[in-house]
C-alpha cells in the first residue's frame, strides 16, 4: 500500500484514506474540534497526494507521514487564528504551547497506531513494560517466554514505533 501511494493513482489515494483517514481525522478533531476536522483532514490527503513523490516508504510509514502533514496544517491554522485575533485586538495564545500540545497529541496517536500494527506478542511485551512497568524478568515469567525473546520483541517493537515517529517529523 505504501509503495503504491508513492507511485500514485486515484486508487492509492482511496486506499490511503481508507487505511488512515480515521487516524488523521481523530488527530484533527482533538486539535481543532469537529467543525474544522473534516476540512483539515481533506486538506491533508490532498496535500499528501500532490506531494506523494516526497513520501519515502523506506524512511517511515504512511501513517506517520500523514500525521506530520496534519500537524503542520493544524499549526498553520492556529497561527492564522492568532494573526486574526491580534488584528482584532484579541489575546494571543502562547504559540509554542499550542504547537507542543499538537505535537504530543500527534505522537500519542502515532504510538497507538503503531502498537495496533505490531504482532500481538510484541504489543503485549511493550504494554507490560511501559504501561504496567514490569521488568524483563517479570514479563518473561508472566508470558512464559525466554528473557531473550522478551528483549528481542521489545527492541523490534520499539524500533517500529520509532520509525513511525520519525516519519511524522520529516
Amino acid at each position: 500500500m505504501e509503495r503504491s501511494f508513492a507511485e500514485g493513482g486515484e486508487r492509492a489515494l482511496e486506499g490511503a484514506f481508507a487505511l488512515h483517514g480515521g487516524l488523521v481525522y481523530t488527530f484533527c478533531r482533538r486539535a481543532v474540534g469537529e467543525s474544522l476536522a473534516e476540512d483539515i483532514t481533506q486538506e491533508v490527503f490532498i496535500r499528501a497526494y500532490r506531494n506523494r513523490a516526497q513520501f519515502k516508504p523506506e524512511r517511515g510509514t504512511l501513517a506517520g507521514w500523514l500525521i506530520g502533514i496534519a500537524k503542520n496544517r493544524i499549526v498553520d491554522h492556529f497561527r492564522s487564528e492568532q494573526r486574526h485575533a491580534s488584528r482584532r485586538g484579541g489575546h494571543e495564545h502562547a504559540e509554542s504551547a499550542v504547537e507542543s500540545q499538537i505535537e504530543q497529541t500527534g505522537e500519542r496517536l502515532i504510538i497507538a497506531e503503531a502498537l495496533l500494527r505490531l504482532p500481538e506478542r510484541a504489543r503485549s511485551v511493550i504494554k507490560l513494560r511501559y504501561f504496567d512497568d514490569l521488568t524483563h524478568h517479570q514479563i518473561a515469567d508472566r508470558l512464559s517466554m525466554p528473557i531473550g525473546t522478551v528483549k528481542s520483541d521489545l527492541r523490534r517493537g520499539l524500533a517500529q514505533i520509532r520509525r513511525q515517529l520519525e516519519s511524522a517529523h520529516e
Side-chain angles (χ1 to χ4, degrees):
M1 169 71 223
E2 296 189 354
R3 291 213 184 276
S4 67
F5 180 80
E7 294 166 2
E10 193 173 311
R11 289 225 177 265
L13 180 60
E14 290 172 4
F17 188 80
L19 277 175
H20 305 297
L23 174 70
V24 173
Y25 174 77
T26 298
F27 175 53
C28 293
R29 190 187 72 231
R30 289 182 183 179
V32 298
E34 282 188 51
S35 61
L36 293 172
E38 284 185 27
D39 291 340
I40 292 177
T41 299
Q42 286 180 344
E43 289 177 31
V44 167
F45 281 91
I46 290 168
R47 286 182 185 201
Y49 187 72
R50 287 181 180 155
N51 298 310
R52 66 190 176 276
Q54 295 175 4
F55 172 64
K56 306 292 182 212
E58 62 276 4
R59 292 171 56 193
T61 65
L62 182 57
W65 189 65
L66 291 168
I67 290 293
I69 294 170
K71 282 191 288 192
N72 292 335
R73 180 61 194 101
I74 291 166
V75 167
D76 290 347
H77 167 75
F78 279 110
R79 286 179 180 160
S80 174
E81 288 295 311
Q82 288 175 345
R83 283 191 301 273
H84 292 305
S86 66
R87 279 188 287 226
R88 293 187 302 255
H91 298 284
E92 293 185 29
H93 295 89
E95 186 175 307
S96 62
V98 170
E99 288 181 31
S100 176
Q101 184 178 7
I102 292 167
E103 185 75 24
Q104 288 174 359
T105 301
E107 287 182 0
R108 280 189 216 116
L109 286 170
I110 291 169
I111 291 169
E113 177 78 9
L115 277 170
L116 290 174
R117 293 177 180 272
L118 289 176
E120 179 60 36
R121 190 176 77 191
R123 183 173 42 244
S124 296
V125 168
I126 288 174
K127 285 181 177 181
L128 290 171
R129 176 67 187 105
Y130 292 101
F131 299 145
D132 295 346
D133 202 28
L134 298 181
T135 66
H136 294 129
H137 289 289
Q138 290 169 325
I139 296 168
D141 289 343
R142 181 165 298 174
L143 298 178
S144 301
M145 295 169 49
I147 188 112
T149 303
V150 169
K151 290 179 180 182
S152 294
D153 284 351
L154 189 60
R155 186 184 70 251
R156 281 192 298 269
L158 291 174
Q160 187 172 338
I161 292 169
R162 183 175 31 257
R163 282 192 301 275
Q164 287 208 27
L165 286 170
E166 287 170 352
S167 68
H169 291 285
E170 293 179 349

